Amino acid sequence: MSKIYVHNLTKRYGSATALDNVSLEIESGEFLVLLGPSGCGKTTLLRCLAGLETPDDGEIVMGDKVVFSSTKNIMVPPGKRNLGMVFQSYALWPHMSVRDNVKFGLDVLKTPKSVAEERLDEVLSDVGLGDLDQRYPSELSGGQQQRVALARLLATQPPIFLMDEPLSNLDARLRMDMRVELKRFQSTAQATTVYVTHDQTEAMTMSTRVVVMRDGSIQQVSPPDQLYRQPENTFVADFVGMPRINLVKLSAETAHGSVFTNDDIRVDVGWEPECSEIIVGARPEDITILDEASAGSEDYEIKTVLPNGPETIVQLTRGETTFLTRVGHEAVLAEGQTVWVQFKSSALNIYSAETGALISPETVKLSEAS
């Protein structure tokens, strides 16, 4: 196993900055996912770790070995970094059988034939390809080709796995199956894994921690549950979660107090943020629909009802303000119906309307103390 340190890494392509002074510690044996929209820098960071791109500034340390340093003029080539990589395109040799594709890495490492053959049999059996080892890539399905790429990585037993959107070419059902297998293989191998994806479901279900990136910078590094429940800014809040979080700008009703409003709604956030303007973040499941009025509720009109298997997504409106909420599939609701709505104040995230940063009672106390 290997811990990875990234210090102040910068990568430019002409006038465009793909990585902007990125620093990150990746724990030994963890499954870290780089998540973000296209062009955020996640693949560039992975390719810098692999040695396929040369950064302009910074340092990368794998275990106790410096593999890149701009100040020390060190650039260790990919083949000497003791890692394995799975690409989006699988990168299989079309003229080689499954067995020969998987064996390729062992040949490069000059593994003794008896050891290599035993290892091949074990790995091909693990990925369910033992009876397909003489087929060629063109004779395999997309999922089977992905298994070959994974087997090739597992055969060499590197301490570091790098994966660049390896499941994006598969259909939805096969993606789910492969997520389970990848997580199982990684856990068994105890390899330090860095996985790039734009699919938040993959990020949230597979990772020990998620790194959310935007415009070459890291926005948040957190375990999946914390990322979902406490996004550190409005970008992360809006990017993570499906259906997406409700973000509404509100103003303080009085100079001091916990009630905020706009022309349509009033929300008691449960504490005093000490800001005149905030953005309230409410996950759909934290908005409760009631059949009748109760303390603290307001009436809303149901605009749209979207059944989705075990749940139903409901769009609510009050004046110009719109919310999405999530209810159980057994709820009987209709478009145009009037319902009453309550917000679960303890689950709300409060952001500064000026900076978009998360604020909490703890940060307010710290600011008062300083």
Side-chain angles (χ1 to χ4, degrees), residues 3-11 19 22-26 44-72 74-76 81 83 160 162 194:
K3 192 167 183 175
I4 301 174
Y5 302 86
V6 178
H7 300 289
N8 304 323
L9 207 67
T10 297
K11 175 63 180 176
L19 295 175
V22 169
S23 293
L24 181 65
E25 285 190 18
I26 305 169
T44 301
L45 177 54
L46 191 80
R47 289 176 63 84
C48 287
L49 294 177
L52 301 175
E53 299 282 355
T54 303
D56 294 290
D57 295 296
E59 185 175 76
I60 301 172
V61 181
M62 295 182 171
D64 56 1
K65 182 179 181 181
V66 178
V67 296
F68 172 78
S69 174
S70 57
T71 58
K72 299 174 183 175
I74 295 173
M75 177 61 187
V76 177
R81 295 196 180 193
L83 51 81
I160 296 172
L162 303 180
V194 184

Side-chain angles (χ1 to χ4, degrees), residues 30-35 183 195 197 199-212 220-232 236-237 239-242 283 285 349 351:
E30 84 165 312
F31 198 125
L32 186 95
V33 174
L34 303 178
L35 175 69
K183 194 166 183 177
Y195 186 105
T197 185
D199 184 327
Q200 58 177 278
T201 302
E202 283 184 13
M204 302 296 277
T205 57
M206 297 175 70
S207 65
T208 51
R209 287 190 302 158
V210 182
V211 178
V212 180
Q220 184 169 346
V221 184
S222 297
D225 285 349
Q226 183 180 344
L227 186 73
Y228 184 79
R229 297 311 321 178
Q230 291 184 300
E232 291 180 1
V236 177
F239 190 77
V240 174
M242 188 60 64
R283 293 287 181 195
E285 60 271 22
N349 287 308
Y351 300 93

